[in-house]
Amino acid sequence: MINKCSFKIDEDGLIDFTRKLIQTPSLSMQEENVANLVADKMREIGFDEVAIDPIHNVTGTLYGDDPQPELIFNGHMDHVPPGDMPEPYSGKIADGSKYGVKSRVIEGRGACDMKGALASMIYGAKALKDSGVRLKKTFVMTAVVREEMAKGEGILRLLEQSGLKGRMAVSGEATRLQTHLGHRGKLEFTLGVKGKTAHASNPSRGVNAIYKMCDFIGDMREHYQLPSHPLLGDCTFTVIDIVSGPGRLGPITPDWCEIALDRRYLPEETAASVKRELEALIDDRKKVDPEFKATVELVKDFPPLYCSPGEPIVQITQEATKTVLGDEGDVSTWKFGVDGTFIQRAGIPCAGFGPGDERFAHTPEDHVPIADLIASCEVYAEIIRKACCS
């Protein structure tokens, strides 16, 4: 690693704070304790203004000569349930070799997604402040709630109700210290098929909705052609749940069957255009099978994110990476979705840069390499300097 950055990182403080964040459980809707921890750390560091809103979003501001925000850093404080993860809130420092990492790691739920990045962003601001560099433009750090619920409730409250503004932004979700430009969007549909009940001893008198649904799923798998993007990759669909009724209480053929359908989509698509595609597949099935009756309803829409490589924040992030690490690294994308999509949709270009590997998010192997923590902290400090001090 080549380090030409002039900032001094409080490595012990960064590691200790990351561990404290992990040791503080913060499931979605239960973020109050970790929000207080984050806000207290911002005040200790010397942010000019720190605020916690009614749902426990935390905002910290370092004012420059121009009070209008220039740069936003965004991360979330909530995490998914620990599941069968051993010692999910230990914040234990361990040998990283079992994860293919040469350095030590910090383990625990939320380490990778994304308490390590939160700590690094906050300590990056600390490094800049401790250096005595004068800010000409204003920097805002946002630590939001309810991200894992995949509706953007936390960040949307800041954008729509609190008036969060900026000219550019960085999402700290895990990127393996690369610059990320976005991700596919996520649509979830409920697709229902109607049938007709009959006694299970005489099924031919009914219309089995499960069989009809199986026919439709077969059509999708064989005929549904999906678009692709040179950077964001292939669109996909998959069935993530299936239910039917009346159920097993009596010997009766089901007269309804529903699936939850996950469809990943691109910026040039819309929820409406994808729904029309599904409706066309339903119409095609009806032509083959006049008994087929189905409806489709959109239930979730997590928008895609694409930040153009020509945006200043992308250039600044890559320049900062090169300054700190000696190489600007690859440009890539996330598989999962991030709150940066709502920031981008609000008209604020948002790139991604963070410690850790998203492959370990939501898994029992959740961890963040300490070397990544320190490196990302230095890059964050350099991003702030390039965006707000020139």
Side-chain angles (χ1 to χ4, degrees):
M1 182 182 295
I2 299 173
N3 189 338
K4 301 177 183 178
C5 183
S6 60
F7 299 115
K8 180 175 175 57
I9 303 299
D10 178 2
E11 296 183 9
D12 290 340
L14 170 60
I15 293 168
D16 181 62
F17 185 53
T18 301
R19 297 182 69 198
K20 286 181 179 177
L21 290 175
I22 295 168
Q23 290 162 355
T24 307
S26 53
L27 291 165
S28 301
M29 305 289 288
Q30 300 176 30
E31 300 98 339
E32 182 175 2
N33 289 339
V34 80
N36 289 332
L37 188 64
V38 167
D40 288 345
K41 180 59 67 174
M42 288 180 176
R43 294 186 186 103
E44 175 190 318
I45 285 170
F47 276 74
D48 298 314
E49 185 176 316
V50 179
I52 303 180
D53 74 10
I55 65 171
H56 307 301
N57 287 314
V58 183
T59 305
T61 306
L62 290 175
Y63 285 107
D65 297 336
D66 182 352
Q68 296 301 312
E70 178 75 11
L71 173 67
I72 299 168
F73 277 179
N74 174 251
H76 65 88
M77 298 178 290
D78 59 327
H79 60 74
V80 296
D84 59 355
M85 185 176 192
E87 301 181 280
Y89 306 119
S90 70
K92 182 170 62 179
I93 295 177
D95 183 347
S97 59
K98 58 185 171 182
Y99 308 113
V101 177
K102 294 180 180 179
S103 68
R104 296 176 302 160
V105 302
I106 303 176
E107 297 177 328
R109 176 55 82 224
C112 168
D113 184 18
M114 55 170 293
K115 292 182 175 181
L118 272 177
S120 291
M121 287 178 153
I122 292 168
Y123 269 76
K126 179 182 188 300
L128 184 87
K129 187 171 179 61
D130 290 348
S131 73
V133 173
R134 176 183 173 185
L135 269 68
K136 296 181 180 179
K137 302 169 185 176
T138 295
F139 164 72
V140 179
M141 172 74 211
T142 59
V144 304
V145 299
R146 306 183 189 180
E147 187 273 348
E148 295 293 0
M149 297 167 69
K151 296 180 181 179
E153 284 187 65
I155 187 62
L156 285 173
R157 183 182 178 93
L158 291 181
L159 290 165
E160 297 174 358
Q161 297 186 37
S162 300
L164 176 66
K165 297 186 183 302
R167 295 188 178 92
M168 61 186 74
V170 174
S171 167
E173 296 272 14
T175 69
R176 293 179 291 116
L177 304 181
Q178 298 177 349
T179 301
H180 278 197
L181 301 184
H183 55 75
R184 299 168 302 169
K186 174 189 181 299
L187 298 171
E188 186 177 315
F189 295 93
T190 295
L191 196 144
V193 168
K194 294 291 185 181
K196 178 183 176 182
T197 60
H199 199 288
S201 66
N202 194 7
S204 64
R205 290 183 59 81
V207 176
N208 193 312
I210 292 177
Y211 294 167
K212 299 297 182 182
M213 182 64 79
C214 288
D215 291 339
F216 181 77
I217 292 172
D219 287 349
M220 290 188 70
R221 297 184 69 182
E222 184 174 357
H223 302 300
Y224 192 13
Q225 300 297 314
L226 298 174
S228 183
H229 187 278
L231 187 62
L232 298 177
D234 296 335
C235 289
T236 60
F237 75 86
T238 189
V239 176
I240 59 175
D241 194 17
I242 184 167
V243 291
S244 66
R248 299 173 62 180
L249 293 178
I252 186 170
T253 59
D255 65 350
W256 64 270
C257 182
E258 287 185 352
I259 60 171
L261 183 71
D262 180 298
R263 165 69 151 85
R264 302 292 157 147
Y265 76 111
L266 301 177
E268 54 265 35
E269 299 181 285
T270 66
S273 70
V274 173
K275 185 180 180 184
R276 286 195 295 271
E277 292 174 358
L278 297 175
E279 290 170 340
L281 288 168
I282 290 172
D283 289 340
D284 288 343
R285 170 49 37 187
K286 287 179 180 177
K287 293 173 185 175
V288 176
D289 178 4
E291 289 185 326
F292 185 75
K293 299 176 182 179
T295 59
V296 59
E297 177 186 2
L298 176 70
V299 292
K300 286 185 182 178
D301 182 358
F302 195 96
L305 167 62
Y306 183 67
C307 186
S308 168
E311 288 289 349
I313 188 56
V314 175
Q315 304 304 314
I316 287 172
T317 301
Q318 291 195 287
E319 289 168 6
T321 303
K322 185 172 184 179
T323 297
V324 174
L325 303 180
D327 187 330
E328 65 184 22
D330 296 329
V331 170
S332 190
T333 58
W334 290 286
K335 288 289 187 184
F336 57 32
V338 306
D339 271 351
T341 190
F342 300 104
I343 297 174
Q344 179 94 15
R345 194 169 65 172
I348 306 169
C350 183
F353 183 90
D357 188 330
E358 70 172 295
R359 292 181 303 140
F360 296 103
H362 299 192
T363 73
E365 294 79 35
D366 198 343
H367 69 276
V368 63
I370 290 176
D372 273 23
L373 272 183
I374 296 168
S376 63
C377 188
E378 293 174 301
V379 173
Y380 290 141
E382 185 66 15
I383 290 172
I384 301 170
R385 187 189 69 78
K386 288 180 178 295
C388 297
C389 298
S390 59

